[in-house]
Amino acid sequence: MAYRSIAGIYRFYHNGFRSMTVGKTLWKIILIKLFVMFAVLKLFFFQDFLQSNFTTDEERADHVFEQITEPARYPPQVETYRNIELPDRHKEL
């Protein structure tokens, strides 16, 4: 039973892709874009930070652990309006 449904799904997609005309060109464009994004951009823009800055796996693991477990840095508390000197025209209120 499962074999029949898997085979049916495969035949459905196989026949659909075989009869494509414009879709084949679009799939080629998509694959070229994916190649550019993952292969070319990775080489030039995403350098291996851990490999270049740390010599051993233990140092790399420690750095990653510190970055993951470091508490979030929140901006300092904003002072309330009570500490702000108001202009004269607002003091009457």
Side-chain angles (χ1 to χ4, degrees), residues 8-25:
I9 292 170
Y10 173 76
R11 273 188 254 112
F12 174 77
Y13 282 103
H14 181 47
N15 290 337
F17 282 115
R18 185 174 46 193
S19 62
M20 267 192 217
T21 54
V22 176
K24 288 181 184 179
T25 306

Side-chain angles (χ1 to χ4, degrees), residues 25-44:
T25 306
L26 294 176
W27 275 107
K28 289 175 187 174
I29 292 171
I30 290 170
L31 292 175
I32 290 169
K33 287 174 101 173
L34 287 172
F35 174 76
V36 167
M37 283 191 317
F38 289 109
V40 175
L41 292 179
K42 184 181 183 323
L43 289 174
F44 295 111

Side-chain angles (χ1 to χ4, degrees), residues 53-71:
N53 292 335
F54 302 101
T55 55
T56 64
D57 287 338
E58 186 174 334
E59 290 176 352
R60 291 181 196 111
D62 289 339
H63 176 72
V64 171
F65 182 75
E66 288 172 8
Q67 295 302 311
I68 290 174
T69 58
E70 183 178 294

